[in-house]
């Protein structure tokens, strides 16, 4: 790093020490929720309980952020990445302060002391547009929360829990329109290939894992880089050099993650690779990797072609952070599977990953609208299509329990 870059980095560190108030745009997004289905080729698939993701469990990276339902739920056509209206990057030779902020966050990645049990909690939601007679508003439905704990060594036990969270309007404006519509406690929306009803009530935690309960023989295995689990040692002994970690984000690795039996010569559709790279990074940052590996992963992702730093944002739980984004791409929903006319059309979206700017911790992964159209024709750029938000992944010495209180 040259002297100019070092000076700029020092400037960013000072800025991060006393962050300015959020912009009006960031504040408007504070209640917006994140991430959508990103199955290969841009297929938009319906969330289902069976497909909901669990921490610590194997995951095929072709799955959507909000878990997938039937593969043929909706016909979607991906038409490439990059939008003519996308903001340009910094001029050649200049310092990208947004990227520097991400790198500073990586340097501040929290030291995670190893304990007896690792636990992780994740909240996810899918956006739906409700076209009421009194005004169109957006909600988050298919709202769910997962909690997983595992002992550091085999035989210490593990368990998986999930519960449904209340459907809720996305923003204060949406809430006002929901109230104008009579504050319905049950909301019927088109989801995938059929109408579904989401309610404003939560459910109790369900034990949902090995042997349909707490597995006393489990533990010692966490989500790794293959189709099976990895030991704590495997994860914490990953390389720390960002250049080496970039190897696990390579196009070849992303392709194998989607389909381990795929031949080496077939190319993925344009725009898929950055989304899969972001997904893999998110998955590993939710696992008990060392702080140096955590820092290296953030830096490796920030260096990938097509990944761009976008500055400070507010995550769906109201936490401020610095973010990276993929290029956007077009998705077209057709009427092939009975999709209503109002849901049909083309829109563009991008994935955004958010880090705590003071600790480097992963906060959220979202899918964000960049060009309105189709089911989101009435929404504005920045609208959150779906999301996953992490809450307090950590080591403890006592056996963890899922939180009793609701997150909102």
């Amino acid at each position: 790093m040259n002297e100019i870059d070092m000076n700029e980095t020092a400037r960013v560190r000072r800025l991060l020490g006393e962050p300015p108030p959020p912009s009006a745009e960031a504040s408007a997004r504070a209640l917006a929720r994140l991430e959508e289905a990103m199955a290969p080729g841009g297929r938009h698939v319906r969330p289902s309980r069976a497909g909901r993701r669990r921490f610590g469990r194997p995951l095929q990276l072709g799955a959507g952020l909000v878990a997938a339902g039937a593969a043929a739920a909706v016909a979607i056509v991906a038409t490439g990445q990059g939008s003519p209206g996308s903001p340009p990057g910094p001029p050649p030779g200049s310092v990208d302060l947004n990227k520097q902020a991400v790198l500073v966050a990586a340097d501040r990645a929290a030291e995670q002391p190893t304990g007896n049990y690792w636990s992780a909690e994740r909240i996810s939601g899918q956006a739906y547009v409700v076209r009421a007679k009194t005004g169109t508003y957006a909600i988050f439905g298919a709202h769910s929360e997962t909690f997983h704990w595992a002992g550091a060594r085999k035989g210490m036990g593990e368990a998986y829990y999930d519960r449904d969270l209340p459907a809720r309007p996305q923003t204060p404006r949406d809430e006002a329109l929901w109230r104008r519509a009579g504050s319905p406690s049950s909301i019927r929306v088109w989801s995938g290939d059929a109408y579904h009803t989401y309610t404003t009530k939560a459910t109790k935690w369900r034990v949902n894992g090995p042997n349909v309960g707490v597995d006393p023989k489990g533990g010692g295995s966490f989500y790794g880089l293959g189709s099976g689990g990895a030991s704590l040692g495997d994860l914490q002994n990953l390389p720390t050099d960002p250049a080496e970690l970039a190897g696990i984000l390579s196009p070849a690795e992303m392709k194998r993650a989607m389909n381990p039996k795929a031949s080496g010569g077939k190319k993925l559709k344009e725009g898929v690779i950055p989304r899969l790279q972001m997904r893999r990074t998110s998955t590993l940052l939710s696992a008990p990797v060392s702080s140096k590996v955590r820092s290296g992963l953030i830096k490796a992702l920030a260096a990938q072609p097509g990944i761009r730093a976008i500055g400070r944002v507010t995550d769906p739980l109201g936490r401020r952070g610095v973010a990276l984004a993929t290029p956007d791409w077009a998705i077209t929903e057709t009427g092939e599977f009975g999709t209503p006319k109002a849901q049909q059309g083309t829109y563009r979206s991008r994935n955004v990953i958010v880090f705590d700017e003071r600790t480097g911790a992963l906060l959220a992964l979202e899918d964000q609208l960049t060009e309105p159209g189709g089911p989101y024709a009435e929404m504005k750029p920045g609208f959150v299509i779906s999301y996953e938000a992490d809450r307090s992944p950590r080591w403890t010495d006592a056996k963890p329990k899922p939180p009793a209180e609701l997150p909102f």
Side-chain angles (χ1 to χ4, degrees), residues 7 75 84 87 98 119 152 161 230 247 250 263 288 336 338 343 361 382 388 408:
N7 290 339
N98 288 337
S119 64
Y161 302 83
S250 69
S263 61
E336 182 179 356
Q343 298 286 116
E388 290 180 348
F408 39 71

Side-chain angles (χ1 to χ4, degrees), residues 262-348:
S263 61
K266 187 176 179 181
K267 292 184 178 181
L268 294 175
K269 288 183 179 291
E270 187 179 18
V272 172
I273 291 296
R275 293 191 173 213
L276 296 181
Q277 291 169 328
M278 194 168 280
R279 158 59 67 185
R280 168 159 281 187
T281 302
S282 168
T283 301
L284 284 170
L285 290 176
S286 298
V289 297
S290 73
S291 59
K292 290 184 178 180
V293 171
R294 197 174 301 276
S295 175
L297 282 167
I298 298 171
K299 293 177 179 179
L301 179 64
Q304 296 305 307
I307 301 292
R308 185 170 63 87
I310 59 172
R312 286 190 179 90
V313 301
T314 303
D315 89 335
L317 302 184
R319 303 169 297 183
R320 284 172 53 74
V322 291
L324 298 171
T326 66
D328 68 351
W329 67 355
I331 300 174
T332 299
E333 298 204 16
T334 73
E336 182 179 356
F337 295 99
T339 302
K341 188 70 174 178
Q343 298 286 116
Q344 297 177 31
T346 300
Y347 64 94
R348 299 184 74 90

Side-chain angles (χ1 to χ4, degrees), residues 44 80-81 87 105 126 156 203 235 257-258 269 277 286 329 387 390 392:
H44 179 85
Q81 67 180 35
Q126 173 73 43
M156 293 181 66
T203 64
L235 289 174
M258 289 179 63
K269 288 183 179 291
Q277 291 169 328
S286 298
W329 67 355
Y387 77 92
D390 281 9
S392 304

Side-chain angles (χ1 to χ4, degrees), residues 253-265:
E253 284 296 319
M254 296 301 93
K255 183 178 176 182
R256 277 193 286 272
M258 289 179 63
N259 183 0
K261 297 181 180 180
S263 61

Side-chain angles (χ1 to χ4, degrees), residues 25-26 29 32-37 65 87 127 275 278 308 310 312-315 323-329 331 347-354 365-372 376 379-387:
E25 181 183 359
R29 282 190 234 145
R33 311 306 227 183
L34 321 149
E35 196 41 66
E36 90 135 339
L65 291 184
R275 293 191 173 213
M278 194 168 280
R308 185 170 63 87
I310 59 172
R312 286 190 179 90
V313 301
T314 303
D315 89 335
L324 298 171
T326 66
D328 68 351
W329 67 355
I331 300 174
Y347 64 94
R348 299 184 74 90
S349 73
R350 65 180 181 179
N351 282 175
V352 175
I353 191 168
V354 186
L365 183 61
E366 67 177 89
D367 191 48
Q368 188 181 88
L369 185 70
T370 57
E371 290 187 17
Y376 312 115
M379 303 296 106
K380 295 180 179 180
F383 172 79
V384 176
I385 296 171
S386 57
Y387 77 92

Side-chain angles (χ1 to χ4, degrees), residues 194-208:
Y195 282 102
H196 290 263
T197 299
Y198 296 106
T199 74
T200 56
K201 294 182 179 180
T203 64
K204 294 182 179 180
W205 284 108
R206 296 176 290 258
V207 180
N208 184 9

